[in-house]
Amino acid sequence: MEVKSRHHLRSDEVDTITTALSENLGVELDADSYEKVEFDDSDWDVVLVDGDPLVLYLNGEPFLTVQGANQYPPEKHVVTVDAGAVSFVSDGADIMRPGITEADDDISEGDLVVINEESHGKFLAVGRAQTDGDDMVGDSGKVVKSLHHVGDDLFEFSV
């Protein structure tokens, strides 16, 4: 991914990010600098938080990247998968009901969520819920569309 431009965010833009992450994920960012990065060859809208790509915009909504979730573990909008799902999720597959062991009840269809693996507590992906959290555990069906995952171009990006 080739960087097209970088610029520091205004304080009102930073406030929008920190408020959204606090309300949606229960995360309080503790940072000194916020820089928006635009790419020549990608549609990602990324914010570097103290130099690390920790926030991305998905349809205009600020949310944590996989790195951001691992650095600032979310308390809300978390979907947990079993060990059998880890390799699929890490390859960018959508999340299916049989692999889910737990999902927050406060998740509504259409919400952005983070995917956590139960063995080590690491975050593997960011996705969009296709159903409510209380309907995610079950026997069949896709329940989260993967949008960003471990190993994709954004995850591999470094400044």
Side-chain angles (χ1 to χ4, degrees):
M1 294 183 356
E2 294 293 321
V3 175
K4 179 178 174 180
S5 68
R6 287 171 62 166
H7 65 275
H8 287 278
L9 296 179
R10 297 184 323 261
S11 61
D12 62 326
E13 294 171 307
V14 171
D15 290 345
T16 299
I17 291 170
T18 56
T19 299
L21 296 180
S22 176
E23 290 175 358
N24 295 328
L25 299 171
V27 168
E28 300 295 331
L29 291 182
D30 180 24
D32 295 322
S33 73
Y34 294 82
E35 290 180 89
K36 187 170 185 180
V37 177
E38 295 179 21
F39 299 100
D40 280 329
D41 53 351
S42 173
D43 291 334
W44 295 112
D45 286 328
V46 177
V47 176
L48 303 178
V49 179
D50 287 341
D52 295 322
L54 303 185
V55 175
L56 74 155
Y57 284 92
L58 296 163
N59 293 334
E61 185 178 350
F63 203 76
L64 291 176
T65 62
V66 171
Q67 298 95 315
N70 282 307
Q71 191 165 333
Y72 293 93
E75 298 174 5
K76 302 188 292 189
H77 287 205
V78 176
V79 176
T80 304
V81 297
D82 61 22
V86 169
S87 64
F88 297 103
V89 174
S90 297
D91 285 340
D94 292 333
I95 292 70
M96 309 296 280
R97 272 193 185 99
I100 296 175
T101 59
E102 188 178 351
D104 290 345
D105 289 338
D106 71 337
I107 296 171
S108 297
E109 180 178 346
D111 284 349
L112 290 170
V113 297
V114 287
I115 310 303
N116 188 351
E117 58 87 20
E118 69 178 349
S119 301
H120 302 98
K122 295 292 183 192
F123 291 91
L124 305 172
V126 171
R128 181 135 346 245
Q130 304 296 297
T131 187
D132 294 342
D134 60 4
D135 187 37
M136 286 191 178
V137 177
D139 295 329
S140 66
K142 176 171 59 172
V143 293
V144 178
K145 177 166 181 47
S146 182
L147 301 172
H148 160 53
H149 60 89
V150 169
D152 68 11
D153 287 344
L154 177 56
F155 184 81
E156 298 297 331
F157 171 72
S158 63
V159 182

